Amino acid sequence: MKLLTHASLFTGLGAFDLAAEWLGWPTIFQVEQNPFCLSVLARHFPYAHRHPDIRTFDATPYAGTVDVLTGGFPCQSFSLAGKGAMDLTLWRQMLRCVVECRPAWVVAENVRGLLARSHGLVLEEICADLEAAGYSVFPPLLLPAAAADADHRRERLWLVAHARGQRQPQQHATPVPEEPDPGSVLLHSLVPAQPQLRPRYASLREVLREADGLPEGLDPTTRNAALHALGNSIHPIVAFNLLRCIAYV
């Protein structure tokens, strides 16, 4: 398995960064504006460069240093629970950073609602943007947290793109085992189908049935910020499986 370098946009609590750390990949930089999330990132990823605003962030100095760039660009305009107003502004900022630092791989995450926006034309536009920037985009994956054996759905749409002509020579990589990692098989097949879900666990609310309260150790001064950040986060094990299969390509 190749050891790669990682960087993240719209980092949040750092779920992608945690997954990269499990693989032994250093995170070069993080871009996040939420003060609570920044305090968490500073504690757990002290070595990473942090930038508070993607609109003013210049990724050009990092060109050639990042193998995998990840980002869950904000999804309010695509969420089925939101107002549904169309806004690709922050996706354009992510795309700009991709062009500036030229990672070998791009992994983007968003909500399931992106599939349905304008009958799929918004997703097509995002994929076309990456293609125009010189990337080959794999068919989108719809993977829920339940795919990592979580007891709730938390469905997310994942986009994986590879820079054309920038693949590292195979002789420099550790050979793929005789029985390939399941994540590697998934990335290569990329069948846009939903994994088998536990039928009783359609949502977190149905799992919990009733609130059990909050941990006593949760700081009341940051409780709302923490819950908001957790609600926006992804399941790090799902991200880990996607990043792990990239390491075998």
Side-chain angles (χ1 to χ4, degrees):
M1 183 178 70
K2 292 176 287 189
L3 295 180
L4 306 176
T5 57
H6 169 256
S8 61
L9 306 171
F10 310 109
T11 305
L13 290 174
F16 270 120
D17 311 70
L18 178 61
E21 185 175 86
W22 287 339
L23 288 164
W25 302 357
T27 293
I28 307 299
F29 67 78
Q30 301 165 324
V31 181
E32 174 57 50
Q33 67 173 0
N34 183 283
F36 175 78
C37 291
L38 284 171
S39 67
V40 173
L41 297 174
R43 177 178 179 181
H44 293 284
F45 304 95
Y47 51 84
H49 300 162
R50 264 170 300 283
H51 305 270
D53 192 343
I54 194 169
R55 295 169 296 181
T56 59
F57 170 60
D58 180 12
T60 306
Y62 298 99
T65 68
V66 178
D67 293 314
V68 182
L69 180 66
T70 62
F73 54 101
C75 59
Q76 285 79 0
S77 60
F78 311 126
S79 174
L80 297 178
K83 296 181 179 179
M86 183 56 58
D87 187 358
L88 286 174
T89 301
L90 292 176
W91 160 248
R92 301 294 183 207
Q93 293 291 345
M94 181 171 179
L95 179 66
R96 173 185 59 80
C97 293
V98 169
V99 172
E100 289 176 350
C101 71
R102 301 301 302 173
W105 292 88
V106 177
V107 180
E109 170 269 330
N110 212 285
V111 294
R112 177 177 182 166
L114 180 58
L115 285 169
R117 291 300 299 178
S118 299
H119 304 286
L121 292 179
V122 174
L123 178 58
E124 287 291 334
E125 182 177 350
I126 290 172
C127 293
D129 287 340
L130 287 168
E131 291 282 354
Y135 286 81
S136 297
V137 183
F138 294 95
L141 287 167
L142 185 61
L143 294 175
D149 205 32
D151 288 340
H152 63 288
R153 218 175 177 105
R154 191 178 287 262
E155 289 182 311
R156 290 295 184 268
L157 182 70
W158 308 81
L159 296 176
V160 180
H162 184 262
R164 292 192 289 269
Q166 294 190 16
R167 177 178 297 203
Q168 298 185 18
Q170 185 65 33
Q171 61 267 26
H172 295 312
T174 302
V176 178
E178 292 183 3
E179 296 183 0
D181 181 88
S184 180
V185 175
L186 174 63
L187 183 60
H188 282 294
S189 60
L190 289 171
V191 178
Q194 182 171 304
Q196 182 67 37
L197 300 179
R198 299 178 181 182
R200 292 181 55 245
Y201 297 155
S203 69
L204 185 59
R205 179 179 299 175
E206 291 178 0
V207 175
L208 296 179
R209 297 294 181 183
E210 61 183 19
D212 292 325
L214 297 171
E216 294 181 359
L218 189 60
D219 187 347
T221 62
T222 60
R223 181 177 61 188
N224 289 340
L227 292 176
H228 177 76
L230 286 169
N232 287 334
S233 187
I234 60 174
H235 197 311
I237 296 181
V238 178
F240 170 77
N241 285 330
L242 280 175
L243 297 185
R244 179 173 56 175
C245 68
I246 286 175
Y248 279 106
V249 175

